[in-house]
Amino acid sequence: MFKLYLDPGHGGNDPGASGHGLEEKDITLDIALRIRRLLNGYENVSVKMSRTDDNFISLDQRTNEANDWDADYFLSIHCNAFNGSAHGYEDYIHDSLSDASITKRYQEIIHHEVNDLNRLTDRGQKKADFHVLRESIMPALLTENGFIDNAGDAAKMKDPSWRQKVAEGHVNGLMKAFKLKPKIAPINNQTLYKVIAGAFKNKDNAEHRVNYLDVIEIKAFVDPTYISGELWYRVQAGAFEKKDNAEDQVKRLKKHGIKAFIITDT
């Protein structure tokens, strides 16, 4: 089992960097949630996130939790800022590590894969004494995904399809670095029909829905996702290769007074 501790930078009363109507804490959370969702398609992967919503989590809490969980890898997602003119992507490992270290090797692999998809200037692989790199006892990487105060980079950050590509780059790097194996995909890459049994702004309401569905023997989970730039907590109650099966699930939910709908994923 590969255990990834996934850390969206900042959160809550710590917005991080800002610019062009964006806050770093929102961009990092969106990218991290997309990474987690993509990793659901791989075998024997367990992901623990430092936060899944807009909460403040101290740096000590993040590294202590990762260490106590005995994670295999610590991945921290950030955006950069400088003076509005700097732009591009860079990533960091701790400055005490040699270029022959396994952490450096992981950095090289992930750096290449992220840069292959993010359409940002490559600012290189770097080292620094950041807390999450120093205090985590497992190999760790911090990625800086563009400069939020740069007009060009910020325009990309506002695009959900760009954030998806950044997430894909990270996952491609993790797959190659840790030899992750994809789960068996639907035949001929056919559409997957997901049943959504509610979408809530309040996480507690979403969890209450999941608990109710458990009582009526319908398995479900909370899937945080950004919709039109806002964080929502969707309750997913099944994913089916056949649309008829998804529609049957919707009908079953309707009998219990729950409005549901189908979204597609390929």
Side-chain angles (χ1 to χ4, degrees):
M1 177 66 71
F2 170 65
K3 298 169 68 175
L4 173 69
Y5 192 85
L6 184 56
D7 175 40
H10 307 282
N13 59 13
D14 173 19
S18 61
H20 302 281
L22 301 172
E23 290 187 332
E24 181 180 2
K25 66 176 183 177
D26 297 326
I27 302 301
T28 62
L29 179 58
D30 182 74
I31 292 172
L33 289 171
R34 291 171 186 273
I35 290 172
R36 185 179 71 170
R37 197 170 298 122
L38 288 167
L39 286 171
N40 285 336
Y42 290 83
E43 296 179 351
N44 299 317
V45 176
S46 180
V47 179
K48 183 184 288 289
M49 294 181 64
S50 58
R51 63 184 182 96
T52 58
D53 50 23
D54 188 19
N55 284 330
F56 173 77
I57 308 294
S58 73
L59 294 177
D60 280 333
Q61 285 177 294
R62 297 171 198 244
T63 50
N64 288 346
E65 184 176 60
N67 293 341
D68 291 343
W69 188 49
D70 196 24
D72 295 306
Y73 197 60
F74 191 112
L75 177 60
S76 191
I77 308 299
H78 285 258
C79 301
N80 226 327
F82 184 56
N83 60 4
S85 62
H87 57 92
Y89 169 81
E90 60 195 28
D91 47 42
Y92 292 84
I93 61 174
H94 193 255
D95 59 13
S96 66
L97 296 169
S98 76
D99 289 343
S101 67
I102 188 63
T103 301
K104 176 61 177 176
R105 176 57 181 155
Y106 293 153
Q107 180 187 28
E108 291 172 350
I109 295 170
I110 295 172
H111 182 96
H112 173 78
E113 294 300 326
V114 175
N115 260 317
D116 196 43
L117 295 180
N118 66 9
R119 295 184 287 115
L120 294 175
T121 300
D122 184 356
R123 294 174 57 88
Q125 303 170 43
K126 302 183 178 183
K127 299 179 181 181
D129 187 31
F130 297 143
H131 175 98
V132 296
L133 303 178
R134 182 182 65 250
E135 300 302 325
S136 52
I137 61 176
M138 70 291 301
L141 180 71
L142 185 147
T143 65
E144 294 278 10
N145 297 277
F147 282 73
I148 202 168
D149 59 349
N150 175 271
D153 285 5
K156 293 183 176 70
M157 292 179 194
K158 291 178 180 179
D159 182 359
S161 65
W162 179 84
R163 300 194 299 270
Q164 182 69 16
K165 285 296 183 182
V166 170
E168 290 174 7
H170 283 78
V171 171
N172 290 346
L174 291 168
M175 178 186 67
K176 291 187 177 182
F178 295 95
K179 298 178 173 56
L180 306 181
K181 295 181 179 180
K183 294 177 181 176
I184 298 175
I187 298 173
N188 297 325
N189 199 32
Q190 68 188 72
T191 299
L192 195 62
Y193 298 93
K194 297 180 178 180
V195 176
I196 306 301
F200 305 86
K201 291 292 292 180
N202 186 293
K203 186 178 181 182
D204 290 340
N205 292 339
E207 291 176 344
H208 179 76
R209 173 62 54 83
V210 169
N211 291 337
Y212 174 71
L213 293 175
D214 184 58
V215 171
I216 61 176
E217 298 183 344
I218 297 177
K219 293 183 179 180
F221 62 91
V222 177
D223 179 24
T225 189
Y226 274 85
I227 302 173
S228 299
E230 292 187 307
L231 180 61
W232 288 80
Y233 298 94
R234 293 194 307 207
V235 176
Q236 183 174 320
F240 305 87
E241 294 180 14
K242 295 182 178 180
K243 188 176 182 181
D244 288 348
N245 292 340
E247 291 174 342
D248 288 343
Q249 183 78 313
V250 170
K251 292 176 183 177
R252 182 184 178 194
L253 289 161
K254 186 176 180 180
K255 288 180 181 179
H256 290 279
I258 297 174
K259 293 182 179 180
F261 58 92
I262 296 170
I263 62 174
T264 57
D265 188 16
T266 55

